[in-house]
Amino acid sequence: MAVLVTGGAGYIGSHTAVALHESGREVVLIDNFNNSSPAAVEAIRSLTTPDLVCVEADLRDRGQLNAVFEAHDIDEVVHFAAHKAVGESIAIPLEYYGNNLGSTIAVAETMVEHGVRKLVFSSSCTVYGQPDAIPVTERAPTGAESPYGQTKHMSEQILRDVAEAADLDVALLRYFNPVGAHESGAIGEDPNGIPDNLVPFVMQVAVGRLKKLGVFGDDYDTPDGTCIRDYIHVVDLAEGHVSALEALDAKLRGACTAVNLGTGVGSSVLEVVAAAEAAVGEPIAYEIVDRRPGDVAQIYADPAYAEEVLGWRSQRNLAEMMRDHWNWQSNNPNGFAD
Ligand code: UD1
């Protein structure tokens, strides 16, 4: 029996592949390397086993996907593969809808054809849009704003319908803000071009690739005026996927269930900068700039339901997230290109 990890060479996929291997599973990766690197697969192998299988394919290529299910005894799937840049999704929505929804449909259809029951889907707190109450519980209203967010929201709906019709058991994991890296420094986040997200940007300033961070607004209704998010260590997040697969045989059996993966702790942009400075041991150059359209002042998870149904809670704090992210970035200033 093996677990298939789609988008297995990506940031969260690679960390999850390692955690799944450590749980004793045989792991098969599939990735089209659209926004990831074959070097990530080599790094995963160095942390797991040299013969870990990775198939290079687009999920929408049914022939290849089918062949993977046939060649390996797949009995669980963790589906990450997707485009994920909010701004880009506004510029090229059809590419996002086509790729992200097409991939989800192909995965679900192939699972049904092969009688595979257990699926963990990579969703996002972006499905809560502008939440009206924090901490956010899974019962909060959903409705995403960007085309990217819509693809996560719609994929959740598609999987809910398929679960009902075809008896799939599904965990929809809604991530808050994943940061950090594996403590070995062998794998980590390697964004294409200039990072959109805060922590990769801060770390590229620290390593000298970028000059200065722009802090998007300091006039929000928060204690220091900068936005508050729930940053979660990517290894905690990865372990949450292992717990979710196990819960599909226990508390989550027979249903399609949304679960937040967050810490429940909010940190402001300036708190993240200070934690990064402590990890790096040097000041990070920044200036306050205009607000970024679409940003919410404050969002963090209520992690209670994850603990109840998955028996999982995050273990690593902001200092550890920054230490491990810096370890990865300082050892690999140019990511997997190094
Ligand atoms: C963003 C996406 C979200 C996606 C998530 C993935 C938007 C509106 N949302 O969330 O859909 O799931 O990334 O991790 O893009 N910040 C700066 N300067 C920067 C970059 C960010 O001040 O150069 C601030 C932002 O204003 C925000 C915080 O840092 O308050 C975190 O930003 P980011 O890492 O982009 O994550 P989100 O916006 O929370």
Side-chain angles (χ1 to χ4, degrees):
M1 294 302 192
V3 55
L4 178 65
V5 181
T6 77
Y11 175 42
I12 307 174
S14 58
H15 289 83
T16 302
V18 172
L20 288 166
H21 174 83
E22 284 168 0
S23 76
R25 289 171 168 80
E26 186 184 331
V27 180
V28 175
L29 311 181
I30 185 164
D31 207 297
N32 64 3
F33 301 117
N34 174 277
N35 187 23
S36 60
S37 161
V41 178
E42 284 313 316
I44 296 166
R45 289 189 177 122
S46 77
L47 295 171
T48 57
T49 167
D51 51 14
L52 183 123
V53 174
C54 179
V55 178
E56 180 173 356
D58 190 300
L59 293 173
R60 289 170 294 173
D61 179 339
R62 302 304 173 92
Q64 274 192 287
L65 187 56
N66 205 42
V68 171
F69 275 72
E70 257 154 37
H72 306 278
D73 205 357
I74 304 296
D75 75 332
E76 303 174 313
V77 179
V78 184
H79 175 38
F80 293 102
H83 295 329
K84 62 173 187 182
V86 174
E88 184 184 66
S89 79
I90 296 166
I92 48 169
L94 285 174
E95 176 59 29
Y96 271 67
Y97 287 113
N99 182 67
N100 293 6
L101 299 181
S103 298
T104 296
I105 292 167
V107 166
E109 208 160 66
T110 311
M111 287 180 67
V112 171
E113 277 164 21
H114 289 263
V116 176
R117 176 179 64 82
K118 289 181 271 181
L119 173 64
V120 171
F121 175 65
S122 164
S123 190
S124 166
C125 69
T126 194
V127 302
Y128 296 119
Q130 307 257 348
D132 26 61
I134 44 171
V136 187
T137 72
E138 291 80 355
R139 292 176 303 282
T142 56
E145 281 162 9
S146 66
Y148 159 73
Q150 291 282 7
T151 67
K152 291 295 176 187
H153 196 224
M154 290 178 186
S155 288
E156 286 196 359
Q157 188 56 49
I158 291 166
L159 293 175
R160 244 182 235 111
D161 294 341
V162 182
E164 180 72 33
D167 288 331
L168 291 195
D169 295 344
V170 185
L172 308 167
L173 300 184
R174 294 174 175 165
Y175 316 145
F176 283 69
N177 292 55
V179 300
H182 191 267
E183 62 171 13
S184 65
I187 52 175
E189 186 166 18
D190 184 17
N192 263 338
I194 295 177
D196 292 320
N197 296 118
L198 177 63
V199 173
F201 200 110
V202 165
M203 293 298 169
Q204 290 196 15
V205 172
V207 88
R209 279 173 70 178
L210 295 169
K211 284 219 147 45
K212 194 189 271 186
L213 169 73
V215 173
F216 297 144
D218 68 348
D219 56 353
Y220 285 96
D221 185 16
T222 59
D224 68 17
T226 65
C227 293
I228 291 177
R229 296 288 181 274
D230 186 339
Y231 298 92
I232 175 167
H233 198 297
V234 67
V235 175
D236 277 329
L237 199 68
E239 289 166 356
H241 292 72
V242 180
S243 301
L245 280 178
E246 277 150 22
L248 290 175
D249 282 324
K251 289 195 173 155
L252 299 185
R253 176 129 203 187
C256 177
T257 315
V259 185
N260 287 339
L261 293 188
T263 66
V265 177
S267 305
S268 74
V269 177
L270 293 181
E271 285 170 341
V272 170
V273 172
E277 288 176 333
V280 171
E282 275 176 37
I284 310 278
Y286 74 87
E287 64 181 334
I288 308 295
V289 299
D290 287 346
R291 289 182 176 196
R292 179 172 67 180
D295 274 347
V296 298
Q298 191 164 176
I299 179 168
Y300 51 90
D302 182 335
Y305 189 60
E307 181 146 18
E308 182 191 327
V309 292
L310 308 184
W312 166 94
R313 62 189 293 178
S314 66
Q315 306 290 332
R316 296 159 179 88
N317 64 24
L318 188 62
E320 292 165 304
M321 297 176 212
M322 295 303 125
R323 176 198 67 195
D324 293 340
H325 208 118
W326 176 239
N327 183 41
W328 151 255
Q329 187 76 74
S330 55
N331 283 310
N332 307 275
N334 298 303
F336 288 109
D338 293 324

PDB file of all heavy atoms in Angstrom, residues 204-218:
ATOM      1  N   GLN A 204      14.837  36.678   2.224  1.00  0.00           N
ATOM      2  CA  GLN A 204      15.656  37.081   1.071  1.00  0.00           C
ATOM      3  C   GLN A 204      16.308  38.444   1.301  1.00  0.00           C
ATOM      4  O   GLN A 204      17.378  38.710   0.764  1.00  0.00           O
ATOM      5  CB  GLN A 204      14.821  37.066  -0.209  1.00  0.00           C
ATOM      6  CG  GLN A 204      14.479  35.624  -0.617  1.00  0.00           C
ATOM      7  CD  GLN A 204      13.998  35.500  -2.059  1.00  0.00           C
ATOM      8  OE1 GLN A 204      14.166  36.408  -2.868  1.00  0.00           O
ATOM      9  NE2 GLN A 204      13.392  34.362  -2.366  1.00  0.00           N
ATOM     10  N   VAL A 205      15.682  39.278   2.122  1.00  0.00           N
ATOM     11  CA  VAL A 205      16.351  40.522   2.535  1.00  0.00           C
ATOM     12  C   VAL A 205      17.555  40.147   3.411  1.00  0.00           C
ATOM     13  O   VAL A 205      18.677  40.627   3.208  1.00  0.00           O
ATOM     14  CB  VAL A 205      15.392  41.471   3.299  1.00  0.00           C
ATOM     15  CG1 VAL A 205      16.155  42.662   3.880  1.00  0.00           C
ATOM     16  CG2 VAL A 205      14.265  41.957   2.378  1.00  0.00           C
ATOM     17  N   ALA A 206      17.331  39.234   4.349  1.00  0.00           N
ATOM     18  CA  ALA A 206      18.398  38.850   5.286  1.00  0.00           C
ATOM     19  C   ALA A 206      19.603  38.265   4.555  1.00  0.00           C
ATOM     20  O   ALA A 206      20.752  38.488   4.947  1.00  0.00           O
ATOM     21  CB  ALA A 206      17.858  37.847   6.296  1.00  0.00           C
ATOM     22  N   VAL A 207      19.334  37.547   3.470  1.00  0.00           N
ATOM     23  CA  VAL A 207      20.430  36.865   2.762  1.00  0.00           C
ATOM     24  C   VAL A 207      21.051  37.775   1.683  1.00  0.00           C
ATOM     25  O   VAL A 207      22.017  37.403   1.031  1.00  0.00           O
ATOM     26  CB  VAL A 207      19.885  35.515   2.218  1.00  0.00           C
ATOM     27  CG1 VAL A 207      19.267  35.651   0.860  1.00  0.00           C
ATOM     28  CG2 VAL A 207      20.921  34.437   2.283  1.00  0.00           C
ATOM     29  N   GLY A 208      20.460  38.955   1.506  1.00  0.00           N
ATOM     30  CA  GLY A 208      21.036  39.933   0.584  1.00  0.00           C
ATOM     31  C   GLY A 208      20.493  39.892  -0.830  1.00  0.00           C
ATOM     32  O   GLY A 208      20.987  40.602  -1.705  1.00  0.00           O
ATOM     33  N   ARG A 209      19.467  39.052  -1.076  1.00  0.00           N
ATOM     34  CA  ARG A 209      18.893  39.003  -2.435  1.00  0.00           C
ATOM     35  C   ARG A 209      17.958  40.175  -2.687  1.00  0.00           C
ATOM     36  O   ARG A 209      17.738  40.566  -3.823  1.00  0.00           O
ATOM     37  CB  ARG A 209      18.114  37.697  -2.643  1.00  0.00           C
ATOM     38  CG  ARG A 209      19.011  36.526  -2.971  1.00  0.00           C
ATOM     39  CD  ARG A 209      18.234  35.227  -3.006  1.00  0.00           C
ATOM     40  NE  ARG A 209      17.321  35.112  -4.150  1.00  0.00           N
ATOM     41  CZ  ARG A 209      16.569  34.040  -4.396  1.00  0.00           C
ATOM     42  NH1 ARG A 209      16.613  33.004  -3.565  1.00  0.00           N
ATOM     43  NH2 ARG A 209      15.783  34.000  -5.447  1.00  0.00           N
ATOM     44  N   LEU A 210      17.339  40.684  -1.630  1.00  0.00           N
ATOM     45  CA  LEU A 210      16.436  41.831  -1.761  1.00  0.00           C
ATOM     46  C   LEU A 210      16.911  42.906  -0.786  1.00  0.00           C
ATOM     47  O   LEU A 210      17.520  42.607   0.242  1.00  0.00           O
ATOM     48  CB  LEU A 210      14.993  41.419  -1.430  1.00  0.00           C
ATOM     49  CG  LEU A 210      14.355  40.411  -2.393  1.00  0.00           C
ATOM     50  CD1 LEU A 210      13.044  39.867  -1.816  1.00  0.00           C
ATOM     51  CD2 LEU A 210      14.087  41.058  -3.758  1.00  0.00           C
ATOM     52  N   LYS A 211      16.622  44.176  -1.131  1.00  0.00           N
ATOM     53  CA  LYS A 211      17.179  45.282  -0.342  1.00  0.00           C
ATOM     54  C   LYS A 211      16.398  45.555   0.931  1.00  0.00           C
ATOM     55  O   LYS A 211      16.972  45.708   2.000  1.00  0.00           O
ATOM     56  CB  LYS A 211      17.163  46.563  -1.195  1.00  0.00           C
ATOM     57  CG  LYS A 211      18.262  46.599  -2.247  1.00  0.00           C
ATOM     58  CD  LYS A 211      18.843  48.007  -2.369  1.00  0.00           C
ATOM     59  CE  LYS A 211      20.326  47.982  -2.717  1.00  0.00           C
ATOM     60  NZ  LYS A 211      20.683  47.038  -3.781  1.00  0.00           N
ATOM     61  N   LYS A 212      15.065  45.617   0.805  1.00  0.00           N
ATOM     62  CA  LYS A 212      14.279  46.128   1.919  1.00  0.00           C
ATOM     63  C   LYS A 212      12.854  45.576   1.865  1.00  0.00           C
ATOM     64  O   LYS A 212      12.263  45.509   0.782  1.00  0.00           O
ATOM     65  CB  LYS A 212      14.227  47.655   1.767  1.00  0.00           C
ATOM     66  CG  LYS A 212      13.744  48.390   2.980  1.00  0.00           C
ATOM     67  CD  LYS A 212      13.524  49.855   2.660  1.00  0.00           C
ATOM     68  CE  LYS A 212      14.774  50.698   2.880  1.00  0.00           C
ATOM     69  NZ  LYS A 212      14.453  52.146   2.685  1.00  0.00           N
ATOM     70  N   LEU A 213      12.339  45.209   3.017  1.00  0.00           N
ATOM     71  CA  LEU A 213      10.946  44.766   3.103  1.00  0.00           C
ATOM     72  C   LEU A 213      10.029  45.987   3.129  1.00  0.00           C
ATOM     73  O   LEU A 213      10.324  46.964   3.821  1.00  0.00           O
ATOM     74  CB  LEU A 213      10.752  43.970   4.402  1.00  0.00           C
ATOM     75  CG  LEU A 213       9.293  43.660   4.789  1.00  0.00           C
ATOM     76  CD1 LEU A 213       8.707  42.589   3.873  1.00  0.00           C
ATOM     77  CD2 LEU A 213       9.202  43.219   6.251  1.00  0.00           C
ATOM     78  N   GLY A 214       8.928  45.930   2.392  1.00  0.00           N
ATOM     79  CA  GLY A 214       7.866  46.925   2.562  1.00  0.00           C
ATOM     80  C   GLY A 214       6.814  46.333   3.492  1.00  0.00           C
ATOM     81  O   GLY A 214       6.265  45.266   3.204  1.00  0.00           O
ATOM     82  N   VAL A 215       6.567  46.972   4.609  1.00  0.00           N
ATOM     83  CA  VAL A 215       5.508  46.515   5.524  1.00  0.00           C
ATOM     84  C   VAL A 215       4.216  47.173   5.060  1.00  0.00           C
ATOM     85  O   VAL A 215       4.111  48.410   5.035  1.00  0.00           O
ATOM     86  CB  VAL A 215       5.838  46.890   6.987  1.00  0.00           C
ATOM     87  CG1 VAL A 215       4.651  46.574   7.900  1.00  0.00           C
ATOM     88  CG2 VAL A 215       7.091  46.162   7.451  1.00  0.00           C
ATOM     89  N   PHE A 216       3.244  46.339   4.696  1.00  0.00           N
ATOM     90  CA  PHE A 216       2.014  46.849   4.071  1.00  0.00           C
ATOM     91  C   PHE A 216       1.060  47.458   5.097  1.00  0.00           C
ATOM     92  O   PHE A 216       0.067  46.848   5.470  1.00  0.00           O
ATOM     93  CB  PHE A 216       1.310  45.734   3.293  1.00  0.00           C
ATOM     94  CG  PHE A 216       2.107  45.178   2.137  1.00  0.00           C
ATOM     95  CD1 PHE A 216       2.044  43.813   1.822  1.00  0.00           C
ATOM     96  CD2 PHE A 216       2.904  45.997   1.341  1.00  0.00           C
ATOM     97  CE1 PHE A 216       2.753  43.287   0.755  1.00  0.00           C
ATOM     98  CE2 PHE A 216       3.624  45.476   0.263  1.00  0.00           C
ATOM     99  CZ  PHE A 216       3.553  44.123  -0.022  1.00  0.00           C
ATOM    100  N   GLY A 217       1.350  48.671   5.541  1.00  0.00           N
ATOM    101  CA  GLY A 217       0.412  49.403   6.407  1.00  0.00           C
ATOM    102  C   GLY A 217       0.709  49.238   7.880  1.00  0.00           C
ATOM    103  O   GLY A 217       0.978  48.119   8.337  1.00  0.00           O
ATOM    104  N   ASP A 218       0.709  50.352   8.621  1.00  0.00           N
ATOM    105  CA  ASP A 218       0.851  50.267  10.086  1.00  0.00           C
ATOM    106  C   ASP A 218      -0.270  51.041  10.780  1.00  0.00           C
ATOM    107  O   ASP A 218      -0.120  51.492  11.908  1.00  0.00           O
ATOM    108  CB  ASP A 218       2.232  50.742  10.564  1.00  0.00           C
ATOM    109  CG  ASP A 218       2.448  52.233  10.366  1.00  0.00           C
ATOM    110  OD1 ASP A 218       1.634  52.881   9.663  1.00  0.00           O
ATOM    111  OD2 ASP A 218       3.436  52.763  10.914  1.00  0.00           O
TER     112      ASP A 218
END
